[in-house]
Amino acid sequence: MIKSPLQIARESYSPKLPKALKGSVKIVEGKNTESVADQSDIQKLFPNTYGMPVLSFEAGDSSANNEVMNVGLILSGGQAPGGHNVISGIYDGLKKLNPANKVYGFLGGPGGLVDNKYMELTDDIVDHYRNTGGFDIIGSGRTKLEEEAQFDKGLENCKALGINALVIIGGDDSNTNACVLAEYYKQKNAGVQVIGCPKTIDGDLKNEMIETSFGFDTACKVYSELIGNIQRDANSAKKYWHFIKLMGRSASHIALECALQTQPNVTIISEEVEANNMTLDQVVEYIANIVAKRAANGENFGTVLIPEGLVEFIPAMKKLISELNDLLAHHEEEVNAFESNKEKREFVVTKLSPEMAEVFKSLPNTFANQLMLDRDPHGNVQVSMIETEKLLIDMVKAKLKKMKKAGLYAGKFSAQGHFFGYEGRCASPSNFDADYCYSLGYTASVLIAEGKTGYMASVRNLTASADEWIAGGVPVTMMMNMERRHGAMKPVIQKALVLLDGAPFKALADNREDWAINTKYVYPGPIQYFGPTEVCDLPTKTLIEESK
Ligand code: FBP
């Protein structure tokens, strides 16, 4: 494989570790824990893994197991920068404990465990991937591990390889499944521990003990560089409005972080749209009014950041999507049998409630077609396939036309649409993510050696220097509550949406009127890997605001 000069230089980067992980590690047990909500339900469902204490690591005498251990790794869900460093952290941690320990990677995500597709990781392989982006070392996938038959097959495959522990590197759904698996193996006394690692660029797997998921930092820095570049172009040419949709699934953390980094003219936050019960038309009106105000100052250009999950937070659209999810689950074959989108739409209208049929019919055809696309394996609408940025451009254009007629707008509106998501998911991890991921992986190896199961690796105090980071483990049951999924109440890790009373959102709300009218763009530039720490090692603005 041909490597770029940066890749070659990055190979020798030594990720920074918290000082407690540099030598022998002593485990300190905190208080027993409770789930965030629905305590008695969760306790009943997880009798063997509920209530365990939070663990933190200190330098000191270790009680870790030095016997030979074999560990299996699974990368689950969408790619996030730093996954390879989680793997190298686990690998180095385990090899340090005993060079005879073996690490296997299950291929192509959780499905690899069930289908017994794996490879043994060796020095040569791991060295090749250190500090690189992507999940290509073993691949990822979105197969859901939720049925006992899958757990039993996985156990059989682990036993054949002498695997004593699995590490599942994934988002909230994957870690929920990891916890169910941990409970199942513990209840069976199967001798296979399960540890989770918090991954997702979306930033929505976080709580009191997990300050951020890995990959969020790098992905946001990549998008912010691109937004900054676009803003500079907009401010130079002064002729386009750029509507930029940002990945992040339901939560708007990515849009919010990028807004704090680049100070665009408009930032839509889905959670606020929902809280204010806004209609799509009101969102459009909000944007159009800012376009008109800037035009009055002679500025017919600007930037609008749009979270990809927006449509799901507009109450009428949310209701429509939920009806469509049910409908498509029950009539998938019939819908797919139609040749044209027109026929599909006509069929769908007959199955929706009268109210939602009207909403559906009022949508532009391309948008309605996108809402009918296949769901993901978790039954979610694939928001990355919905071109909200184009929908908003068309609607803002139509609104401005009306405003012009009414004498409320005198300007030119020409817009470009963008969608940033895949550009950042496999980027070379920032120093923050390279260090954080390596520390998470190393932490997972300690949890395994200490015989723990049902824990998620946790590294906290992330706005301090890496030396001062606090590593440990958090029982996954602590993050759980009961939620309705596919028509039944299920235990799941509580998803963290943007908090409207949180410091990062307040930092946006306090400044957005100023940023809307006065051009106050910030141009963050590309991620720096070499150079002064105040340029290269900065955490996200979200973490900085939250730690104030
Ligand atoms: P995870 O939740 O699995 O980390 O995935 C994140 C994400 O990038 C979302 O932001 C996006 O909506 C989704 O994956 C797209 O996934 P896919 O490429 O599989 O459609």
Side-chain angles (χ1 to χ4, degrees):
M1 193 214 264
I2 301 170
K3 292 183 181 171
S4 69
L6 178 65
Q7 255 175 295
I8 295 166
R10 252 337 237 180
E11 270 174 9
S12 52
Y13 178 75
S14 297
K16 300 183 266 303
L17 273 177
K19 61 173 174 278
L21 287 179
K22 287 181 182 159
S24 170
V25 178
K26 185 176 121 197
I27 297 250
V28 181
E29 286 196 359
K31 286 196 194 115
N32 285 351
T33 56
E34 293 210 313
S35 58
V36 273
D38 309 309
Q39 290 82 7
S40 65
D41 290 329
I42 306 284
Q43 184 163 22
K44 254 184 241 147
L45 291 164
F46 296 89
N48 297 288
T49 50
Y50 186 84
M52 300 183 297
V54 168
L55 306 173
S56 52
F57 300 163
E58 282 178 6
D61 287 340
S62 154
S63 55
N65 176 7
N66 286 332
E67 282 165 27
V68 175
M69 292 179 291
N70 291 349
V71 173
L73 311 181
I74 297 171
L75 290 167
S76 183
Q79 285 68 249
H84 290 158
N85 273 28
V86 175
I87 292 182
S88 53
I90 297 171
Y91 184 86
D92 291 352
L94 288 166
K95 291 285 179 186
K96 191 173 166 197
L97 282 163
N98 186 338
N101 286 343
K102 282 189 181 167
V103 181
Y104 293 96
F106 285 102
L107 304 180
L113 173 69
V114 181
D115 302 336
N116 204 25
K117 296 204 171 110
Y118 64 88
M119 66 193 262
E120 188 185 339
L121 297 177
T122 57
D123 285 358
D124 278 357
I125 298 171
V126 173
D127 287 351
H128 191 74
Y129 287 95
R130 286 178 193 274
N131 308 309
T132 60
F135 277 8
D136 41 324
I137 185 170
I138 52 173
S140 184
R142 292 200 184 274
T143 305
K144 265 187 104 166
L145 284 186
E146 58 176 355
E147 283 158 20
E148 289 193 359
Q150 293 172 308
F151 300 170
D152 291 338
K153 195 80 194 66
L155 183 57
E156 192 185 311
N157 297 334
C158 285
K159 289 285 168 199
L161 290 168
I163 286 178
N164 333 79
L166 288 170
V167 182
I168 299 185
I169 302 161
D172 52 345
D173 284 331
S174 311
N175 275 286
T176 294
N177 297 339
C179 189
V180 175
L181 194 64
E183 174 68 29
Y184 184 76
Y185 287 168
K186 190 147 186 210
Q187 170 227 318
K188 285 196 126 193
N189 216 356
V192 176
Q193 304 155 232
V194 185
I195 298 295
C197 259
K199 171 237 70 165
T200 179
I201 60 160
D202 300 348
D204 57 3
L205 172 46
K206 65 172 181 178
N207 49 54
E208 202 190 322
M209 304 304 292
I210 304 291
E211 292 178 3
T212 187
S213 54
F214 79 76
F216 176 71
D217 181 86
T218 309
C220 288
K221 283 174 177 158
V222 171
Y223 306 143
S224 297
E225 181 208 349
L226 299 176
I227 295 163
N229 294 350
I230 285 177
Q231 294 191 145
R232 207 144 208 172
D233 195 292
N235 201 12
S236 306
K238 304 198 189 290
K239 63 175 180 180
Y240 291 126
W241 270 87
H242 293 270
F243 282 56
I244 305 165
K245 184 178 82 165
L246 291 156
M247 251 190 193
R249 212 184 277 283
S250 304
S252 308
H253 296 293
I254 293 184
L256 177 54
E257 170 65 23
C258 292
L260 297 178
Q261 286 194 33
T262 62
Q263 307 190 174
N265 303 105
V266 181
T267 307
I268 307 293
I269 298 295
S270 307
E271 292 82 344
E272 185 184 26
V273 168
E274 185 175 49
N276 293 344
N277 218 356
M278 285 171 87
T279 60
L280 189 53
D281 193 57
Q282 285 171 321
V283 174
V284 169
E285 194 174 302
Y286 169 68
I287 301 172
N289 281 337
I290 292 175
V291 172
K293 278 191 198 152
R294 286 180 64 79
N297 295 339
E299 306 215 296
N300 289 299
F301 66 92
T303 44
V304 181
L305 303 191
I306 306 151
E308 73 170 352
L310 174 64
V311 291
E312 286 190 297
F313 284 78
I314 293 169
M317 298 298 295
K318 189 176 183 173
K319 208 165 157 201
L320 172 63
I321 288 171
S322 136
E323 278 196 27
L324 282 171
N325 287 350
D326 281 357
L327 186 160
L328 292 171
H330 293 112
H331 301 278
E332 197 184 357
E333 278 185 23
E334 284 159 275
V335 173
N336 288 338
F338 291 113
E339 290 279 314
S340 71
N341 280 323
K342 184 167 183 285
E343 287 170 301
K344 286 185 189 176
R345 288 197 307 273
E346 283 165 0
F347 172 80
V348 161
V349 163
T350 64
K351 300 284 173 206
L352 289 169
S353 66
E355 188 197 353
M356 287 304 115
E358 284 314 308
V359 176
F360 188 70
K361 281 194 281 183
S362 74
L363 298 173
N365 288 344
T366 37
F367 187 63
N369 296 344
Q370 287 161 6
L371 290 182
M372 294 188 304
L373 291 170
D374 287 343
R375 275 31 190 173
D376 75 3
H378 299 270
N380 301 318
V381 65
Q382 301 194 50
V383 279
S384 58
M385 316 268 261
I386 298 177
E387 294 176 315
T388 328
E389 72 284 14
K390 292 197 180 145
L391 175 78
L392 287 177
I393 288 176
D394 288 347
M395 294 181 79
V396 168
K397 198 181 273 171
K399 177 76 67 189
L400 289 170
K401 214 168 157 190
K402 280 191 192 158
M403 289 168 69
K404 202 169 235 176
K405 267 196 188 153
L408 298 170
Y409 165 65
K412 280 190 198 143
F413 180 73
S414 190
Q416 306 277 356
H418 311 263
F419 168 37
F420 296 151
Y422 298 102
E423 293 79 353
R425 294 204 314 185
C426 281
S428 190
S430 60
N431 283 356
F432 174 87
D433 268 329
D435 299 345
Y436 180 46
C437 290
Y438 189 79
S439 301
L440 282 172
Y442 211 95
T443 299
S445 75
V446 176
L447 292 169
I448 293 167
E450 292 282 344
K452 304 298 175 192
T453 191
Y455 275 86
M456 189 184 287
S458 141
V459 176
R460 296 181 288 128
N461 199 27
L462 295 171
T463 49
S465 70
D467 218 35
E468 304 301 323
W469 289 356
I470 301 164
V474 189
V476 181
T477 51
M478 187 183 173
M479 307 169 199
M480 287 193 155
N481 66 171
M482 300 296 290
E483 284 177 26
R484 183 165 289 280
R485 296 280 168 98
H486 298 295
M489 292 306 280
K490 292 263 166 78
V492 293
I493 294 178
Q494 199 174 55
K495 206 184 254 309
L497 298 177
V498 168
L499 296 175
L500 301 181
D501 57 358
F505 178 77
K506 282 192 179 149
L508 171 73
D510 288 349
N511 290 293
R512 62 184 161 187
E513 274 179 40
D514 180 25
W515 299 349
I517 307 307
N518 306 308
T519 305
K520 293 269 178 88
Y521 301 151
V522 174
Y523 313 115
I527 294 175
Q528 299 296 306
Y529 299 95
F530 305 98
T533 191
E534 66 275 18
V535 179
C536 300
D537 297 336
L538 277 181
T540 56
K541 299 253 181 208
T542 303
L543 273 176
I544 294 172
E545 288 296 332
E546 281 169 350
S547 72
K548 276 182 186 168

